[in-house]
Amino acid sequence: AADKVRLQLKWQHAFQFAGYYAAQEQGYYRAAGLAVEIVPATPGEDPRQQVVQGKAEFGVGATDLLLLREQGAPVVVLAAIFQHSPQAFMVLRKQGLQSIHDLAGRKVMVEPDSAELLAYLRHEGVATDKVTLLPHTFDVQDLLAGRVDAMSVYAIDEPFLAGKAGRDYLLYSPRAAGIDFYSDNLFTTEAMVAGKPRLVERFLTAS
């Protein structure tokens, strides 16, 4: 029988996870003796903790995993999928937000693992206590409808949806300030690596 494992995504189902969908649809997991359930993120929950708490065997996380590890969480990064983080702030062009500094005093949706975006604000002198940070709903409609002024996005995902809706947008990327992190890191726990090393290797290779 195939070994059942869960992969916890850091976002809703989206193009950024195409490699895992392909591994599943094209039979790579099946050939490795794995039955993989790909689990989308739930608004209000921290996807990383799903893995730490044993509710998923593998997860997709950002560079925040380093901070989590430093705090004592037994997380282990297996692979860096994106060499450059596609994470950015997106605003609508007509909102009068002409630079990253204009986010001060505004409502901004930010997902849990957004270290590079928070570092970007700090680098640009925008104090986070001057920004109203809101939990992410994973819904670009909140920005398009004006319920928030900005939101953290992936440059390969939400801008496409905004453009499809006929809206002009601006992206503010941490890379503009020289902040360049890996992203979408595949990770697991120390317990998985120590207790089921062959399973971990099979999942990593198939992915």
Side-chain angles (χ1 to χ4, degrees), residues 102-129:
D102 294 329
L103 293 183
R106 302 283 188 150
K107 294 182 291 185
V108 182
M109 283 199 307
V110 180
E111 61 190 287
D113 50 351
S114 298
E116 62 260 56
L117 294 181
L118 298 180
Y120 183 25
L121 290 175
R122 216 171 297 125
H123 181 275
E124 294 297 320
V126 181
T128 52
D129 61 353

Side-chain angles (χ1 to χ4, degrees), residues 57-77:
E57 287 72 30
F58 299 94
V60 179
T63 309
D64 290 64
L65 292 167
L66 289 172
L67 302 177
L68 205 59
R69 173 91 184 181
E70 186 181 31
Q71 293 163 7
V75 293
V76 179
V77 171

Side-chain angles (χ1 to χ4, degrees), residues 16 30 36 57 73 75 81 94 105 107 114 117 123 130 137 140 144 148 161 167 174 184:
Q16 70 198 77
R30 187 170 58 254
V36 179
E57 287 72 30
V75 293
I81 304 302
K94 294 181 179 179
K107 294 182 291 185
S114 298
L117 294 181
H123 181 275
K130 301 297 183 185
T137 63
V140 72
L144 300 182
V148 296
L161 297 176
R167 307 295 292 275
D184 279 34

Side-chain angles (χ1 to χ4, degrees), residues 146-162:
R147 289 187 285 271
V148 296
D149 301 301
M151 63 185 289
S152 64
V153 301
Y154 261 43
I156 58 175
D157 288 333
E158 290 78 12
F160 170 77
L161 297 176

